[in-house]
Amino acid sequence: MEENLPPGFRFHPTDEELITHYLCRKVSDTGFTSKAVVDVDLNKCEPWDLPAKASMGEKEWYFFSLRDRKYPTGLRTNRATEAGYWKTTGKDKEIYRSGVLVGMKKTLVFYKGRAPKGEKSNWVMHEYRLENKQPFTPAKVYHIHKML
C-alpha cells in the first residue's frame, strides 16, 4: 500500500479529521473501509503487537475497534487484554468542527498485569468517539484509536 504513495507522504490527520472523515463514516456505514485505518479487536491484541497489524505508520498507528462492554447490561467499557489493561488518564478533550462539538478524545496508558497492581508501560493510545446526543447508544459503537 505505501509503495503507491508519493515520496514523503505521511498519514497525519488532525483530531477533527479523524472524527469527521473516518469515524463518522465507519459508524454510519459498517462496510466502510480505509487503507489507513484498519479494524482490530483491542481486547485480543497486546500493544506491542498492534504496529504489525497497522496498514501504515512509523511512530503512530490507527485502528477502528468496536467497544467491548465490561458487563452485558452495563455501560462500562472493557479495556483488558491477556497481558494487562488500558487505563484512562486525564480528562477527555472536546473535538470541534466549525465551532460544533463533534467528538471526544480520551488518553489511555497500558498497564501490564491486573488492577490495581498493574505496572505502567510506555504504550499510550488516544481513543476518539463521536459526540453522542442520544441517551441510548446503538449496539455497535465504534471508536478510532491512535497508538503513539
Side-chain angles (χ1 to χ4, degrees):
M1 155 62 212
E2 288 190 44
E3 56 274 358
N4 298 330
L5 298 172
F9 174 86
R10 301 287 183 275
F11 183 70
H12 193 71
T14 64
D15 291 347
E16 181 265 322
E17 288 168 337
L18 283 171
I19 297 276
T20 58
H21 295 288
Y22 294 93
L23 190 54
C24 279
R25 289 176 71 188
K26 183 68 171 179
V27 168
S28 63
D29 175 10
T30 54
F32 169 75
T33 59
S34 165
K35 290 182 178 176
V37 184
V38 296
D39 289 273
V40 297
D41 183 341
L42 288 174
N43 300 96
K44 291 186 171 71
C45 299
E46 305 304 339
W48 45 88
D49 297 328
L50 287 169
K53 295 182 181 297
S55 60
M56 63 172 51
E58 295 170 8
K59 294 181 180 175
E60 296 177 346
W61 304 275
Y62 298 85
F63 306 97
F64 287 120
S65 70
L66 273 170
R67 181 176 74 180
D68 182 25
R69 292 181 190 256
K70 192 166 188 149
Y71 307 106
T73 57
L75 296 175
R76 291 178 62 188
T77 302
N78 178 25
R79 293 196 172 90
T81 69
E82 199 173 299
Y85 57 97
W86 291 97
K87 182 178 177 183
T88 61
T89 181
K91 57 186 258 187
D92 291 4
K93 179 185 174 203
E94 297 175 332
I95 310 296
Y96 291 90
R97 178 179 190 181
S98 304
V100 177
L101 181 65
V102 292
M104 301 294 286
K105 173 178 159 181
K106 180 184 295 294
T107 300
L108 306 163
V109 174
F110 189 78
Y111 283 73
K112 294 178 186 170
R114 291 287 166 245
K117 298 183 178 183
E119 179 185 330
K120 187 176 181 179
S121 76
N122 291 326
W123 291 98
V124 177
M125 177 168 60
H126 291 153
E127 178 180 88
Y128 297 85
R129 69 182 188 275
L130 295 178
E131 173 56 17
N132 190 0
K133 303 221 181 332
Q134 297 89 13
F136 302 103
T137 57
K140 290 190 174 186
V141 177
Y142 279 93
H143 292 134
I144 195 166
H145 293 87
K146 175 182 174 182
M147 288 280 303
L148 309 173

